[in-house]
DNA sequence: ATAATTGCAAAGCGTTTGCACCCTG
DNA sequence: CAGGGTGCAAACGCTTTGCAATTAT
């Protein structure tokens, strides 16, 4: 079983009105130690590889519920396959390394002024936005 | 048949090394008159509704080929279902109205400095990015 | 106790592919 | 006329769902 379980995760489950089942904690644990984003299938495969008993449908249902409550982010960079990632609670964006697929959260957004201006130019009011930056991290740059 | 066919589209097909078949022109025509973004299925449904003869597989293959050559954009806001949209040739972003789903292209990007700075903070070099802004257009604001 | 959750297997759905026929260049 | 393109239907892969058994509260 895991050693990285964060009490924080339990609180978040509770706050979302979700029962703290063994399976949900497994999913959260696995997400917590994963710096990349993962698909439901991959997550399930890993848990099974670790000898855990959990059904694929449960992984899907759990990720769906967590996403509904904002506990995980759903990244859709690969159409036809959703990726999930445990994420901070505030507004943030992702920086993905095209070499190793590592994902870093950009804490500060700082785009609000730009957004408001760009939207206003089209007579829109911006209500939400999503930025995904692709780049190369230091180690992948060296490797290349 | 269409009245909106743009000669421009033929050039783009040719430049991409794709033969100008009846089906491809149908797809391009339909995309050209569509301000929203559409799924492959929806596009196919409309063409058939117009009495056109074209197979679903061809629509998929065509959209895939057009996307490969940058003639259409692939938007993945709905995970598990790709949306396509004929798009300008340069770098740009999309502003989507959450009321009517109308999509507007934002010509200017103007994010490069912000991006470079944000990436550098994490020791990354930004190579690409994608921004999707959701908002409300003027008429949907009035309706609300 | 009892309502939520799980697991399995089957169903759903969007997308892709094999193959014979057709058409563009 | 040769090779790309098309249509159909079957195959695919990811995701969802029905239902009986299980489990958290």
């Amino acid at each position: 079983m895991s050693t990285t379980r964060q009490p924080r995760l339990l609180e978040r489950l509770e706050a979302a009105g979700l029962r703290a089942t063994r399976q949900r904690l497994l999913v959260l644990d696995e997400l917590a130690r994963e710096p990349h984003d993962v698909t439901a299938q991959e997550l399930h495969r890993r848990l099974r590889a670790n000898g855990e008993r959990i059904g694929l449908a449960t992984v899907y249902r759990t990720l769906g519920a967590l996403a509904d409550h904002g506990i995980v982010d759903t990244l859709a960079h690969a159409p036809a396959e959703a990726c999930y990632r445990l994420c901070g609670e505030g507004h943030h964006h992702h920086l993905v390394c095209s070499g190793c697929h590592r994902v870093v959260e950009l804490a500060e957004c700082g785009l609000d002024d730009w957004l408001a201006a760009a939207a206003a130019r089209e007579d829109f009011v911006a209500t939400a936005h999503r930025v995904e930056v692709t780049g190369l991290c230091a180690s992948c740059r060296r490797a290349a």
Side-chain angles (χ1 to χ4, degrees), chain A:
Chain A
M1 204 68 96
S2 161
T3 56
T4 55
R5 181 170 304 162
Q6 301 168 23
R8 175 81 165 246
L9 298 178
L10 281 155
E11 292 166 26
R12 290 229 229 170
L13 274 183
E14 200 164 353
L18 299 172
R19 289 186 181 175
T21 64
R22 179 178 55 80
Q23 293 88 334
R24 284 179 179 157
L25 293 175
L26 284 174
V27 168
L28 282 170
D29 271 355
E30 191 60 36
L31 283 173
R33 77 159 62 88
E34 172 55 62
H36 300 51
D37 46 344
V38 271
T39 63
Q41 309 251 3
E42 170 66 11
L43 190 53
H44 178 247
R45 203 184 53 61
R46 284 190 210 173
L47 289 173
R48 295 288 267 243
N50 288 354
E52 305 291 357
R53 292 180 305 99
I54 184 172
L56 179 56
T58 298
V59 173
Y60 274 107
R61 282 188 280 231
T62 298
L63 288 171
L66 294 175
D68 283 347
H69 292 89
I71 300 174
V72 303
D73 251 6
T74 305
L75 309 187
H77 36 63
E81 198 173 41
C83 288
Y84 300 88
R85 180 162 193 287
L86 189 58
C87 65
E89 299 182 57
H91 173 68
H92 60 270
H93 300 300
H94 293 117
L95 177 56
V96 186
C97 175
S98 51
C100 62
H101 291 138
R102 187 159 59 92
V103 180
V104 178
E105 277 186 17
L106 297 177
E108 292 292 314
C109 171
L111 243 38
D112 298 304
D113 290 344
W114 177 85
L115 276 168
R121 224 172 292 142
E122 305 288 343
D123 202 7
F124 270 59
V125 171
T127 54
H129 64 279
R130 186 189 152 88
V131 178
E132 208 166 308
V133 188
T134 305
L136 270 175
C137 71
S139 36
C140 287
R141 237 148 49 224
R142 272 193 296 278

